[in-house]
Amino acid sequence: VFKDKDFIRALKSSIVFNLLDLAVGFPMPIILALILNELRFPRFKKVTQTILYLPHFLSWVIVGSVAYQMFRPTTGMVNVFLMNAGIIQNGIPFLTEKWHWAVTYLLIGVWQGMGWGTIIYLAAILGIDQEMYEAAEIDGATRWHKIKCITLPLLKSTVITMTLLSIGRIFYSDFGLFYQVPMNSGALINATNTIDTYVYRGLIELGDISMSSAACVYQSLMGFALVMIANWLTKRYSSENALF
């Protein structure tokens, strides 16, 4: 499988996009959970949570269709708005050029996944003893001080656990996001060809079972190795937060 140039390209794309997603998308659910926790109007809070969670339950076919309507090079809603506002003269190729696609990928991925990830962190925040916040208020702590000195330190174990799980998926990718959203565009075939789409194309289009199987085995072994290494490092510096 390492003699196949398409696989090497897919491997590089998987790593690069997952690292970008880890850097940009991973902090968003934490920030969102902190914001939601600070809302003081229960009805508004519930409505906001529902709106934020909704994208997770949408099929990638629907998300891909919406993205196509929004980001088409000349007639997409975003480009039409920017051109009418005089910000740009020509449409931006969000879905047909690899560098613009990278930005589009991050935006769509964050939008689709941040609401669901927020549930975990919000549940961890709600489990914090409220007496700690009351004691902090008596000492004159502001909201920012309570977040900085109570909420974030007590979220440490949850953040570490989610980080370990995310590291284990660096060699994986969301098939729907890389195949359905760009609609298998030939212009983006090199940028969107990750290990998951490589395996799919190898099986469905080429019928190469052995090559696809080899790619899957490599993907699984590397994911396992990364989790073990990350857990070992965590155990070395903070043993109580390690997975095992």
Side-chain angles (χ1 to χ4, degrees), residues 50-66:
T50 303
I51 293 172
L52 292 171
Y53 298 161
L54 180 62
H56 175 78
F57 300 99
L58 296 178
S59 165
W60 278 118
V61 176
I62 298 173
V63 175
S65 299
V66 172

Side-chain angles (χ1 to χ4, degrees), residues 185-200:
S185 171
L188 290 173
I189 194 70
N190 290 332
T192 59
N193 190 26
T194 61
I195 296 179
D196 293 83
T197 58
Y198 172 86
V199 170
Y200 175 80

Side-chain angles (χ1 to χ4, degrees), residues 4-244:
D4 188 353
K5 292 182 180 179
D6 287 336
F7 174 75
I8 300 301
R9 246 190 318 263
L11 177 61
K12 290 179 180 178
S13 295
S14 297
I15 295 173
V16 169
F17 278 114
N18 277 297
L19 288 177
L20 283 173
D21 188 57
L22 196 62
V24 177
F26 186 81
M28 291 305 297
I30 303 174
I31 297 171
L32 196 58
L34 294 173
I35 294 173
L36 288 174
N37 186 58
E38 293 300 317
L39 294 179
R40 292 293 178 260
F41 301 99
R43 188 180 297 274
F44 177 71
K45 184 175 181 179
K46 290 179 180 179
V47 172
T48 304
Q49 286 177 306
T50 303
I51 293 172
L52 292 171
Y53 298 161
L54 180 62
H56 175 78
F57 300 99
L58 296 178
S59 165
W60 278 118
V61 176
I62 298 173
V63 175
S65 299
V66 172
Y68 182 71
Q69 296 296 328
M70 292 288 292
F71 299 110
R72 279 182 297 183
T74 54
T75 58
M77 293 175 64
V78 174
N79 277 317
V80 169
F81 172 78
L82 293 176
M83 286 189 288
N84 289 338
I87 299 174
I88 59 174
Q89 294 182 346
N90 299 315
I92 300 173
F94 290 108
L95 301 176
T96 56
E97 197 273 327
K98 64 179 182 178
W99 299 112
H100 291 94
W101 154 252
V103 177
T104 307
Y105 153 77
L106 288 174
L107 291 176
I108 294 175
V110 169
W111 170 76
Q112 197 267 351
M114 67 179 182
W116 184 254
T118 300
I119 295 176
I120 299 172
Y121 296 106
L122 195 58
I125 293 173
L126 294 176
I128 298 174
D129 189 353
Q130 294 300 309
E131 291 183 359
M132 300 181 69
Y133 292 108
E134 292 172 4
E137 287 182 5
I138 294 173
D139 289 338
T142 62
R143 283 191 178 187
W144 168 243
H145 285 112
K146 286 188 286 185
I147 293 172
K148 181 181 177 181
C149 301
I150 299 175
T151 308
L152 289 178
L154 293 177
L155 278 179
K156 179 182 176 182
S157 59
T158 305
V159 171
I160 290 176
T161 300
M162 298 304 296
T163 302
L164 290 173
L165 296 175
S166 298
I167 288 174
R169 296 193 59 82
I170 283 179
F171 286 85
Y172 290 79
S173 62
D174 197 316
F175 177 81
L177 182 56
F178 281 91
Y179 190 85
Q180 188 60 48
V181 173
M183 298 186 178
N184 200 22
S185 171
L188 290 173
I189 194 70
N190 290 332
T192 59
N193 190 26
T194 61
I195 296 179
D196 293 83
T197 58
Y198 172 86
V199 170
Y200 175 80
R201 292 187 177 103
L203 286 173
I204 303 302
E205 298 177 7
L206 304 177
D208 195 341
I209 298 175
S210 60
M211 193 70 77
S212 298
S213 300
C216 283
V217 169
Y218 173 79
Q219 188 181 43
S220 300
L221 290 175
M222 289 306 298
F224 174 75
L226 285 174
V227 170
M228 294 296 291
I229 293 170
N231 185 75
W232 175 76
L233 291 172
T234 303
K235 194 172 184 179
R236 185 173 179 181
Y237 295 102
S238 181
S239 58
E240 69 275 8
N241 293 313
L243 290 176
F244 47 84

